[in-house]
Amino acid sequence: MFLVVGGRLTLQLRDGDVVLGPGELYVVPEGVEHCPRADEETAILLLEPAGMLEPAGTLNTGSGGGPLTLAAVPLD
């Protein structure tokens, strides 16, 4: 489930894009490929059921690195 707190989020799905604004949410059906994209600074709340976590060895931009991954920022 993606809940947009601020900004705008686009969920790219094979059947078309879903665009969410502040206060809107979308539940991605189980098994549906999706690619979240934010073209502006966006705050979201993401919830995943415990059984839906990525299998071991699956990389995402957070763990895979690359041009879309920002450097770690220390929390104050």
Side-chain angles (χ1 to χ4, degrees):
M1 180 189 87
F2 292 85
L3 171 63
V4 176
V5 177
R8 185 163 302 280
L9 179 69
T10 300
L11 292 171
Q12 297 172 310
L13 308 172
R14 289 197 181 270
D15 293 338
D17 292 351
V18 175
V19 180
L20 303 172
E24 296 181 317
L25 67 87
Y26 184 79
V27 177
V28 179
E30 183 177 349
V32 172
E33 291 181 307
H34 57 284
C35 178
R37 186 186 84 226
D39 296 324
E40 61 186 65
E41 186 170 332
T42 302
I44 64 168
L45 173 66
L46 171 63
L47 297 176
E48 293 186 27
M52 297 299 296
L53 297 177
E54 298 169 342
T58 300
L59 297 178
N60 59 45
T61 59
S63 59
L68 297 178
T69 303
L70 296 177
V73 177
L75 299 176
D76 294 331

